[in-house]
Amino acid sequence: MPFPIINSIATWVLKQRIHQIELFLKYPNEVQEELLMNLIRKSEDTELGKEKDFESIKNYKTFCERVPVSTYEELEPLIERTRKGEQNVFWAEPIKWFAKSSGTTNAKSKFIPVSDSALENCHYKGSKDLLCMYLNNNENSEMFLGKSLRLGGSSQIHENNNSSFGDLSAILIENMPMWAEFSSTPSNKISLMSEWETKLTAIINETKKENVTSFAGVPSWMLVLLNRILSETNHTSLFELWPNLEVYFHGGVNFEPYREQYQKILPNSDFKYYEIYNASEGFFAIQDLNYSNDLLLMLDYGIFYEFIPMDTFETPNQKVIPLTEVELFKNYAVVITTNSGLWRYLIGDTVRFTSLNPYRIRVTGRTKHHINVFGEELMVENADQAIAKTCSQLNCDVKDYTVAPIFMKNKEKGSHEWMIEFKKTPVDLALFAKVLDETLQSVNSDYEAKRYKNMTLNPLKINVARENLFYDWLKLKDKLGGQNKIPRLSNQRDYLEQLKEMQ
């Protein structure tokens, strides 16, 4: 299919979606309420639906009374039964796909159900909407005159009795239409390679000959790939290799710590960055404006949203609220009910709302990846922001980092210990530590209060990681590439101690 035709088709799809997007922008709460009732009605005859008497649920209040908020571990017995071939357990459609998700460092994998409805009306719909919004904001785009360099997971599809599992990206590639592969690079065969380092070489060999106009992938791993490409082709700018580059679609980790490094290898102020928020459980939000840091919450993808204020999370006073009750700039844990049969599922992410009309969010971290040992309420967003500002001020670059508490011992106060791998090391490490500490205080008032005159927390401590420490750590855990991430913050010292042993 000629590329201009693809461009025309994409524009046509955009026009078809505009009025639907305008509908949930105008009536967001009504759209969500109707969606929830549709999910309940569809599941009345499932085993779970009969157990909870879905047939008699007529409103959100009754739904909350009947269905508890659940973690993966609590839903796992039902999911395992479906993986072994049982159907109509928690969702009316047959489920044959499971996205294997092991998070950052968990030894035990999760198998997230992915229904056909979720594939079509959530994951693929989100991908199409992302392109539509980009084209709507950039009418002169020639993105479809070239190819998109995609960097997905490193897993093949595995058969398991009557079901199949793999990375979500592998499932999406397996099921995507032919035209989508035609407009992407590398080929499906290379995209689905399991061994990361072999895959990296294969991607470079194939893509350096293509007319690449866009990228899509996790910032940390994409940066590894792009730097390797520059090294092997003896270029300093990616525009020397691919002059028609115009946009990078990214998600998975906060982009701020990597922004300056990308701007060095993509030195063009017109180059666009578009963020998405998706996971194995669903496609949730899309950056809908050029040069924005906010993501539009997509309300018609078969996902019903609820939120737990983080100041009540896992306390006796924990409360769960619908979209109608959220407030600006508060941190919330996200709870979802989906068209794959995840009922009031706690996905482990935290967000805050930057706009209520329309509903726009920023991802702030993970419910398990924060530090609150001393009441400092430090979120990943705070740490990423402080790292980015400190690097910009002191002309250095951070490749990866993790933070853990130093617990109080005897009369010694607590503090935070950082392990940082620099791409460009600061000239004065003591100054870097001082500026980082002060910047953290400026972005987090709770941390500032605990650091005031060293009353609760001593100054932070920094360990400079040897080159490739984090890479070697992930390799040891068989977690190179794809959606695998370094845990930025932890209330425990396990990750940090493992890294220190490998120094």
Side-chain angles (χ1 to χ4, degrees), residues 23 82 144 256 379 444 477:
L23 184 68
T82 304
F144 286 110
E256 284 312 305
M379 306 294 291
N444 185 310
K477 295 174 175 290

Side-chain angles (χ1 to χ4, degrees), residues 50-246:
K50 289 175 180 175
E51 179 193 326
K52 304 295 183 185
D53 192 13
F54 277 10
E55 189 176 357
S56 68
I57 296 178
K58 307 299 180 188
N59 55 50
Y60 173 67
K61 182 175 181 292
T62 310
F63 172 68
C64 295
E65 291 167 355
R66 298 268 180 86
V67 183
V69 171
S70 300
T71 61
Y72 178 80
E73 288 69 27
E74 289 163 326
L75 294 178
E76 187 176 24
L78 297 180
I79 291 172
E80 282 303 303
R81 285 172 54 192
T82 304
R83 285 189 67 214
K84 290 173 182 173
E86 285 188 62
Q87 296 295 347
N88 212 42
V89 179
F90 50 82
W91 187 241
E93 293 175 50
I95 293 179
K96 56 182 181 288
W97 294 102
F98 292 84
K100 185 180 178 183
S101 170
S102 56
T104 309
T105 51
N106 297 342
K108 190 174 182 182
S109 294
K110 298 176 182 178
F111 293 90
I112 306 299
V114 182
S115 69
D116 287 346
S117 289
L119 275 176
E120 287 302 323
N121 299 320
C122 184
H123 292 291
Y124 288 138
K125 192 174 183 178
S127 299
K128 285 186 281 191
D129 281 354
L130 170 65
L131 297 176
C132 287
M133 287 180 187
Y134 175 73
L135 290 174
N136 191 43
N137 295 331
N138 302 279
E139 292 181 355
N140 297 322
S141 168
E142 295 184 342
M143 181 176 66
F144 286 110
L145 297 182
K147 293 192 175 185
S148 176
L149 195 169
R150 63 187 179 193
L151 185 60
S154 305
S155 291
Q156 300 280 2
I157 297 296
H158 302 276
E159 300 296 327
N160 177 53
N161 297 324
N162 298 302
S163 64
S164 303
F165 69 89
D167 281 2
L168 176 68
S169 54
I171 293 172
L172 295 178
I173 289 169
E174 184 79 13
N175 289 279
M176 69 170 47
M178 276 183 59
W179 66 263
E181 181 178 4
F182 184 70
S183 63
S184 303
T185 188
S187 64
N188 286 359
K189 182 180 178 183
I190 292 174
S191 292
L192 294 172
M193 280 184 173
S194 298
E195 209 283 307
W196 166 251
E197 286 160 344
T198 306
K199 175 177 175 175
L200 207 60
T201 301
I203 290 174
I204 292 168
N205 289 338
E206 182 172 313
T207 58
K208 65 185 180 184
K209 307 165 194 169
E210 298 282 3
N211 174 28
V212 173
T213 53
S214 65
F215 305 136
V218 176
S220 50
W221 294 112
M222 182 62 80
L223 195 60
V224 172
L225 169 64
L226 297 179
N227 281 324
R228 184 82 67 89
I229 287 173
L230 287 175
S231 174
E232 294 199 9
T233 57
N234 293 317
H235 293 305
T236 55
S237 162
L238 289 164
F239 295 113
E240 295 169 11
L241 182 62
W242 298 309
N244 300 314
L245 279 173
E246 57 178 79

Side-chain angles (χ1 to χ4, degrees), residues 344-359:
R344 303 195 85 199
Y345 178 79
L346 190 64
I347 61 173
D349 290 338
T350 59
V351 302
R352 61 183 169 87
F353 284 83
T354 57
S355 165
L356 301 182
N357 185 24
Y359 288 107

